Each structure stands twice: as structure tokens, then as C-alpha cells.
Amino acid sequence: MGVFPDFDGLGGIGDLRAVVGALLTFVLIVAVLMLIVSAIVWAIATAHGNYATASKGRIGVLVAVGAAILAGGGVAWMNWLLTLGAQL
């Protein structure tokens, strides 16, 4: 059985792919910038003994890493599902 999604079935699907690609790029750029800023805040706050701000910087680092993982993982998961669908 050869079931595969028909990407040409909808008008404007190429524009949708371009928008999704641009949003993914934007999310990854923001995640990297957030990671840099949060790491700097975490380091400076820890060096000065401000542990409340240091914990917020650490949370920022973890959220940035999580966002990057989810964004990249979503693309990998969708490609895996499409490959699996092509094999069925």
C-alpha cells in the first residue's frame, strides 16, 4: 500500500513551507541569543553572590536549550514520520 501525503493538493503549500522554515529559523536564533544572555546573567550573578538572579539565569539557560531541542526535534520527528509513511 503506497500512502504518502499529497503536498501539492493544497494551493499555497510552498508558501506555507517557507513560513514554517522562517519561523523555525527565528525560534532557533532567539533560543541561541537567550542562551547567551542567560548564561552571562547566571555567571555574573553567581560571581557576585546573588543566588536568586543566578537561579533565574539557570532557568533561562534550561528553557533556551529546551526550546532549541524541541524545535530541532520537531523537524527530525516529522522527517522520520514522512520516511516511515513512504515505506508503508
Side-chain angles (χ1 to χ4, degrees):
M1 178 155 65
V3 177
F4 193 73
D6 182 17
F7 290 117
D8 297 326
L10 294 173
I13 197 74
D15 295 334
L16 180 63
R17 282 187 177 184
V19 168
V20 169
L23 285 175
L24 179 63
T25 303
F26 181 73
V27 166
L28 290 175
I29 289 172
V30 168
V32 168
L33 292 175
M34 184 179 164
L35 178 68
I36 292 169
V37 170
S38 296
I40 290 170
V41 167
W42 184 9
I44 291 173
T46 301
H48 289 252
N50 191 345
Y51 299 112
T53 306
S55 70
K56 290 181 183 182
R58 182 178 12 172
I59 290 171
V61 167
L62 295 175
V63 168
V65 169
I69 288 172
L70 285 176
V75 172
W77 183 51
M78 188 57 62
N79 287 335
W80 178 76
L81 287 175
L82 290 174
T83 304
L84 182 67
Q87 292 175 356
L88 294 178

